């Protein structure tokens, strides 16, 4: 099972000091957090995509590419890649490039996002959200799997004889998760292709998450990709820990009360009861997280949100130390002991290459260079 963290890259004032980080400070703190995640033995670092304040994550592959150069093992992913408003050609190119830079340590999560105004900013209509997600992903899959693509759809200009470059590393596209909080159409899309399904699992009660995951599992089996319990499932979650649970609650409360997504709603205690938010000791986080399996079954990826709402970098790094030293080792052991042998692990580049029969060089050489007029053979001589 994979364990990691995801970030939405918000620039939020620390309610205990009133100071907000600059955009430069926030970006560099995200990088520090990713490096720390690898240092403490986590498997995945994922970042979101937003194109509006108060976020700094408008160019995920730029940040992830830098992190790739500074790390060796951690898988680099997204907690949302906006398949609705980002050109599929650009996604194909950017993430294939990142694959090469990171030696395959890349996957991504498709999503529609939660910011309505982003649609007209990129020339789209929010009412087309689901059809955009469906059509754009169809094109993205072809761009990664076919050397030359002819395409005509409803939402973008046609393509004629188009080759997306670079080609996927070793001839294998990045594994794709489809993230959704409430849209069964996206769970259906993930099941249809045999891709992974990731549920945010932060703002909603367990019963809702259970319904969405069960629906995805049923449809995964329906489309012939394996039994329902072999479907590839990921969950989000949010934690804040201190050795003593009372200290954790006392320290986190001002951040919860002032957070844009929480403040003014249910109390911290109510929210912690009604959703998977866990504020307490490492032992409480372990117990709560192990309980997720009771309503979603065996799953492959658990990502935690630990760095939002204005929490200072020092505090976030302390949270990562606790995760890496006290929480994740126990979760690995306990989840592994419970998982049946026929339930697969999360796909990785290495496992996908092996399933494809080995690595292939799929570089496409043009018959003649449009700039120099030289043939590929002459250029290589």
């Amino acid at each position: 099972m994979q364990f990691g963290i995801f970030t939405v890259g918000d620039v939020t004032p620390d309610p205990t000091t009133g100071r907000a980080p600059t955009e430069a400070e926030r970006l560099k703190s995200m990088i520090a957090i990713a490096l720390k995640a690898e240092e403490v033995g986590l498997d995945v670092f994922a970042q979101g995509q937003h194109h509006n304040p108060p976020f700094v994550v408008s160019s995920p592959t730029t940040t992830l590419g830098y992190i790739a150069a500074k790390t060796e093992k951690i898988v680099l992913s997204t907690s949302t890649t906006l398949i609705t408003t980002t050109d599929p050609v650009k996604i194909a190119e950017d993430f294939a490039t990142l694959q090469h830079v990171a030696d395959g340590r890349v996957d991504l999560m498709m999503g529609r996002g939660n910011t309505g105004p982003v649609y007209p900013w990129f020339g789209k209509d929010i009412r087309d959200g689901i059809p955009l997600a469906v059509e754009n992903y169809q094109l993205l899959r072809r761009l990664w799997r076919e050397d030359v693509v002819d395409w005509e759809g409803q939402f973008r200009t046609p393509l004629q004889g188009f080759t997306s470059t670079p080609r996927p590393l070793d001839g294998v596209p990045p594994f794709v998760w489809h993230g959704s909080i409430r849209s069964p159409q996206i769970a259906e899309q993930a099941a249809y292709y045999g891709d992974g399904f990731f549920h945010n699992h932060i703002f909603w009660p367990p019963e809702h998450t259970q319904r969405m995951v069960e629906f995805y599992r049923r449809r995964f089996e329906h489309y012939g990709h394996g039994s329902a319990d072999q479907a590839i499932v990921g969950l989000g979650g949010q934690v804040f820990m201190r050795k003593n649970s009372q200290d954790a609650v006392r320290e986190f409360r001002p951040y919860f009360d002032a957070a844009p997504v929480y403040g003014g709603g249910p109390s911290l205690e109510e929210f912690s009861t009604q959703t998977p938010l866990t504020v307490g000791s490492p032992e409480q986080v372990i117990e709560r997280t192990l309980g997720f399996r009771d309503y979603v079954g065996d799953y492959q990826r658990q990502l935690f949100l630990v760095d939002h709402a204005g929490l200072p970098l020092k505090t976030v790094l302390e949270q990562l130390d606790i995760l890496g030293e006290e929480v994740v080792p126990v979760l690995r052991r306990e989840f592994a002991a419970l998982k049946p042998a026929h339930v697969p692990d999360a796909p990785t580049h290495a496992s996908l290459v092996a399933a494809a029969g080995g690595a292939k060089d799929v570089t496409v050489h043009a018959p003649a260079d449009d700039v120099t007029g030289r043939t590929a053979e002459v250029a290589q001589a």
Side-chain angles (χ1 to χ4, degrees):
M1 186 167 175
Q2 294 177 333
F3 296 92
I5 56 173
F6 70 104
T7 179
V8 295
D10 58 312
V11 178
T12 302
D14 182 334
T16 67
T17 65
R19 183 184 183 277
T22 66
E23 291 177 321
E25 289 171 337
R26 186 65 173 104
L27 282 164
K28 290 181 179 179
S29 75
M30 288 169 49
I31 293 167
I33 290 164
L35 301 186
K36 183 70 170 182
E38 176 167 273
E39 177 189 320
V40 302
L42 301 186
D43 306 305
V44 182
F45 173 81
Q47 74 160 77
Q49 178 184 350
H50 288 278
H51 295 275
N52 57 290
F55 303 101
V56 293
V57 286
S58 57
S59 182
T61 53
T62 303
T63 314
L64 294 175
Y66 182 86
I67 294 168
K70 298 286 186 178
T71 55
E72 296 180 355
K73 296 180 180 179
I74 197 162
V75 174
L76 305 173
S77 189
T78 58
S79 47
T80 300
T81 294
L82 297 177
I83 187 64
T84 46
T85 52
T86 308
D87 187 350
V89 172
K90 188 61 174 165
I91 296 175
E93 294 172 340
D94 284 354
F95 282 90
T97 301
L98 184 60
Q99 265 195 316
H100 289 270
V101 170
D103 296 324
R105 295 181 289 122
V106 175
D107 58 36
L108 65 161
M109 186 198 311
M110 300 299 173
R112 293 185 296 141
N114 60 5
T115 306
V118 73
Y119 285 83
W121 294 341
F122 290 88
K124 308 300 181 184
D125 188 327
I126 193 172
R127 293 169 295 186
D128 295 326
I130 294 294
L132 276 164
V134 171
E135 180 178 297
N136 284 352
Y137 187 58
Q138 288 174 343
L139 174 55
L140 177 62
R141 285 180 61 87
R142 289 189 58 190
L143 291 167
W144 276 336
R145 289 166 173 79
E146 300 175 25
D147 287 346
V148 181
V149 173
D150 294 316
W151 169 267
E152 186 169 351
Q154 181 180 354
F155 297 111
R156 80 171 316 281
T157 53
L159 297 174
Q160 295 183 347
F162 180 78
T163 298
S164 175
T165 60
R167 305 304 297 146
L169 178 66
D170 298 325
V172 174
F175 184 73
V176 171
W177 302 79
H178 299 260
S180 180
I181 297 175
R182 61 186 182 275
S183 300
Q185 299 95 325
I186 301 303
E188 176 81 15
Q189 183 182 38
Y192 177 79
Y193 290 109
D195 295 338
F197 178 68
F198 189 94
H199 197 275
N200 174 279
H201 198 224
I202 289 180
F203 303 114
W204 293 73
E207 296 80 11
H208 174 77
T209 302
Q210 180 180 14
R211 286 193 297 270
M212 289 289 288
V213 172
E214 286 182 349
F215 173 77
Y216 160 69
R217 290 188 184 278
R218 288 196 307 271
R219 301 303 291 169
F220 182 94
E221 182 173 298
H222 169 79
Y223 287 116
H225 300 297
S227 59
D229 62 354
Q230 293 177 311
I232 307 300
V233 174
L235 294 181
Q238 186 186 356
V239 298
F240 187 87
M241 298 168 288
R242 289 301 184 201
K243 183 176 181 179
N244 181 292
S245 61
Q246 289 84 358
D247 291 338
V249 170
R250 185 181 308 109
E251 185 175 349
F252 187 68
R253 187 181 300 280
Y255 296 95
F256 177 90
D257 290 345
V261 294
Y262 298 136
S267 69
L268 173 57
E269 288 74 16
E270 292 169 331
F271 202 89
S272 298
T273 300
Q274 297 166 8
T275 77
L277 170 65
T278 308
V279 180
S281 67
E283 293 76 18
Q284 288 174 307
V285 169
I286 291 168
E287 181 180 2
R288 190 80 178 275
T289 305
L290 288 173
F292 296 165
R293 182 178 179 273
D294 295 338
Y295 55 89
V296 301
D298 293 289
Y299 64 110
Q300 284 75 17
R301 175 174 286 185
Q302 174 65 57
L303 301 184
F304 296 104
L305 177 65
V306 297
D307 75 328
H308 90 310
L311 287 165
L313 177 60
K314 178 178 180 294
T315 300
V316 175
L317 298 180
E318 291 167 352
Q319 296 297 300
L320 292 175
D321 278 328
I322 298 170
L323 274 177
E325 295 170 9
E326 302 182 47
V327 175
V328 167
V330 178
L331 292 177
R332 285 194 199 281
R333 183 174 66 249
E334 295 296 326
F335 276 118
L338 293 168
K339 190 185 80 165
H342 71 282
V343 173
D345 294 327
T348 63
H349 183 72
S351 69
L352 294 173
V353 168
K360 303 175 181 66
D361 179 11
V362 293
T363 304
V364 173
H365 298 283
D369 186 337
D370 289 339
V371 176
T372 67
R374 295 184 301 171
T375 65
E377 289 78 10
V378 171
Q380 294 170 2

